Amino acid sequence: MKISVVLITFNSEKTLAKVLEAVTWADEIVLVDSGSSDKTLKIAEVFKAKVIYRKFDNYGSQKNFATLQASNDWILSLDDDEILSTELQTEIQNLSLENTEFQAYKIPRSLIFLGKLLRFSGEYKRLTLRLFNRNFGNWNTEHVHESVEIKGKIGVLANHILHDSYRDLTDYFNKFNKYTSLGAKTLAERGKKASVSTIVLRFPITFLKVYFLKAACLDGYAGFMWALLSAMNPVIKYAKLKESESL
């Protein structure tokens, strides 16, 4: 079975070449761009990707649209900062997708943060569904934290994707601001409310959970910063929700 690699981009020059270099074996690369002004499109041209423009509305809808542009039914859907390890490339190429009992596969994903591969912190080989037959499902249309919804049996691969998401802390906070705003919007659409106690208690509960229960303390400085920032995320998201309630 042929595989189409599908991804969405916007000013993705930082990691895009590494992402595409790791999937040159695929039968097709489809890239849906929302108006990049950096070298993203030039990089896509080097790797002979099929490029389509679509105005961005939300992550789920953008990825759903991208999946439908592929020529093949088996889709390997990646973010523009997700790099397949050499072992994972080999594992996927050795799959017998014509005869498989599965309609999709979850793939372990490991975060690189502040230049360090986090081996604890709850971010090492977390399963995420990235390889699927589009006849059995597609991305939902959530604003953020979108996911693939599949009707069928799901397998699990052994080797991991390297998630090289943040250039530095400035890059982190740029994304942090966007994602917390989208998260607050999603909560509002679901009718959620933000109490002061929820906002106050979220920080210590989340920090202790990540730093001790998920062993971020074993990842050194990067682990501490990840636990700290992970604890800030729900606080700001719910604070933005509360702010929107007063507008």
Side-chain angles (χ1 to χ4, degrees):
M1 293 289 289
K2 293 183 177 181
I3 295 177
S4 292
V5 171
V6 174
L7 61 158
I8 64 172
T9 56
F10 177 71
N11 290 342
S12 306
E13 65 178 11
K14 171 184 173 276
T15 52
L16 186 59
K18 291 181 180 180
V19 173
L20 298 184
E21 179 65 38
V23 294
T24 52
W25 48 266
D27 300 284
E28 176 187 48
I29 299 174
V30 177
L31 188 154
V32 174
D33 188 77
S34 52
S36 293
S37 58
D38 63 358
K39 298 178 182 178
T40 294
L41 300 183
K42 290 182 179 180
I43 294 170
E45 184 179 356
V46 169
F47 288 92
K48 300 180 180 179
K50 174 183 175 182
V51 178
I52 301 162
Y53 170 79
R54 182 179 187 266
K55 183 179 179 180
F56 184 87
D57 48 5
N58 66 58
Y59 285 99
S61 295
Q62 196 81 345
K63 290 183 177 182
N64 198 317
F65 173 83
T67 295
L68 297 177
Q69 308 314 302
S71 302
N72 305 305
D73 288 332
W74 274 97
I75 306 296
L76 176 58
S77 184
L78 299 174
D79 288 343
D80 63 358
D81 53 10
E82 294 181 334
I83 304 163
L84 272 62
S85 64
T86 302
E87 296 80 6
L88 179 58
Q89 294 176 48
T90 301
E91 184 177 10
I92 293 176
Q93 291 177 75
N94 288 336
L95 288 174
S96 180
L97 296 177
E98 303 101 327
N99 304 313
T100 183
E101 61 181 305
F102 302 111
Q103 285 72 54
Y105 290 89
K106 289 185 177 181
I107 302 176
R109 185 178 67 171
S110 300
L111 179 65
I112 298 173
F113 185 63
L114 299 183
K116 178 182 177 65
L117 175 64
L118 299 185
R119 295 190 174 276
F120 301 93
S121 306
E123 296 299 325
Y124 187 68
K125 292 193 172 182
R126 290 182 63 180
L127 293 179
T128 180
L129 203 159
R130 284 288 185 267
L131 179 61
F132 62 97
N133 187 325
R134 66 180 177 184
N135 292 316
F136 296 90
N138 204 342
W139 292 91
N140 60 30
T141 55
E142 295 289 339
H143 294 293
V144 68
H145 301 311
E146 66 288 347
S147 60
V148 179
E149 298 179 352
I150 290 290
K151 293 181 179 179
K153 195 171 182 181
I154 299 173
V156 178
L157 300 185
N159 297 291
H160 64 170
I161 293 169
L162 299 174
H163 189 204
D164 191 6
S165 187
Y166 307 108
R167 183 183 305 112
D168 49 32
L169 288 175
T170 298
D171 188 32
Y172 177 90
F173 278 108
N174 288 336
K175 294 180 179 181
F176 175 91
N177 189 44
K178 178 170 66 173
Y179 292 152
T180 51
S181 294
L182 290 172
K185 181 179 180 180
T186 298
L187 290 173
E189 290 176 351
R190 293 175 179 173
K192 300 289 186 180
K193 300 294 182 180
S195 67
V196 173
S197 59
T198 296
I199 295 171
V200 171
L201 292 174
R202 284 273 175 169
F203 182 85
I205 291 172
T206 305
F207 179 81
L208 293 173
K209 178 181 178 181
V210 176
Y211 195 65
F212 291 108
L213 294 182
K214 295 188 176 181
C217 54
L218 299 178
D219 277 321
Y221 173 71
F224 170 78
M225 290 301 297
W226 181 252
L228 175 67
L229 297 173
S230 296
M232 289 175 58
N233 188 291
V235 172
I236 301 304
K237 180 172 66 175
Y238 275 89
K240 287 182 176 181
L241 174 62
K242 185 170 183 59
E243 183 180 64
S244 70
E245 293 170 355
S246 62
L247 295 179

